[in-house]
Amino acid sequence: MICFLTQIILQQNLVKGLSGYDIKKDQDRAIDYLKTISPVTYAENGVPTLIVQGNKDKIVPLSQSKKLYRKLKRAKVETSLIIIDNGVHSFSTTDKSTLDKMTDQMVDFIISQKK
């Protein structure tokens, strides 16, 4: 229960920090503002996009990265989604071997964009 409450507080603080709005008092304004900075909003006119997401991220839920990935695919934007097992938001708990593999995948994606 404490972990869940901590996650809610972190998310509320993140919304306040990004938008300037208190999600509990100004939910509609906060949501409207956050939509303007969300990459999902701009997927139709997107550029090749690599998404790297930890499946234990408590800041950005994996579902949001999957949603962006789907929208980019539907818009026929070249995209790739790398999901890091047990990865947190900063990848600070990710072992070196996984980080090395992730780096290789990132480099491969960048090289694949060279025309």
Side-chain angles (χ1 to χ4, degrees), residues 42 57 73:
Y42 305 100
D57 191 330
K73 281 291 197 187

Side-chain angles (χ1 to χ4, degrees), residues 10-111:
L10 281 172
Q11 290 172 341
Q12 289 172 346
N13 289 341
L14 182 61
V15 168
K16 176 84 171 175
L18 289 171
S19 70
Y21 295 108
D22 182 331
I23 191 75
K24 292 184 280 185
K25 296 177 185 172
D26 296 310
Q27 183 174 356
D28 290 340
R29 286 183 178 172
I31 290 170
D32 287 344
Y33 176 76
L34 293 172
K35 284 179 183 177
T36 70
I37 63 171
S38 172
V40 171
T41 302
Y42 305 100
E44 292 293 321
N45 299 313
V47 297
T49 305
L50 173 63
I51 306 162
V52 182
Q53 171 79 45
N55 68 350
K56 301 289 185 188
D57 191 330
K58 293 189 184 325
I59 304 297
V60 178
L62 180 56
S63 62
Q64 288 186 12
S65 291
K66 288 181 176 180
K67 180 179 180 179
L68 175 59
Y69 177 77
R70 285 191 307 271
K71 279 198 95 166
L72 289 165
K73 281 291 197 187
R74 269 188 248 123
K76 300 198 182 333
V77 174
E78 190 167 343
T79 186
S80 184
L81 173 61
I82 299 170
I83 300 171
I84 304 300
D85 192 38
N86 293 314
V88 298
H89 190 72
S90 65
F91 301 110
S92 60
T93 60
T94 304
D95 64 82
K96 184 179 178 340
S97 171
T98 301
L99 288 173
D100 289 345
K101 182 180 174 189
M102 180 177 74
T103 301
D104 289 343
Q105 291 173 301
M106 292 165 62
V107 170
D108 289 345
F109 183 84
I110 292 167
I111 290 171

Side-chain angles (χ1 to χ4, degrees), residues 1-10 58:
M1 182 70 163
I2 292 175
C3 185
F4 179 72
L5 292 175
T6 301
Q7 184 175 350
I8 290 173
I9 291 168
L10 281 172
K58 293 189 184 325

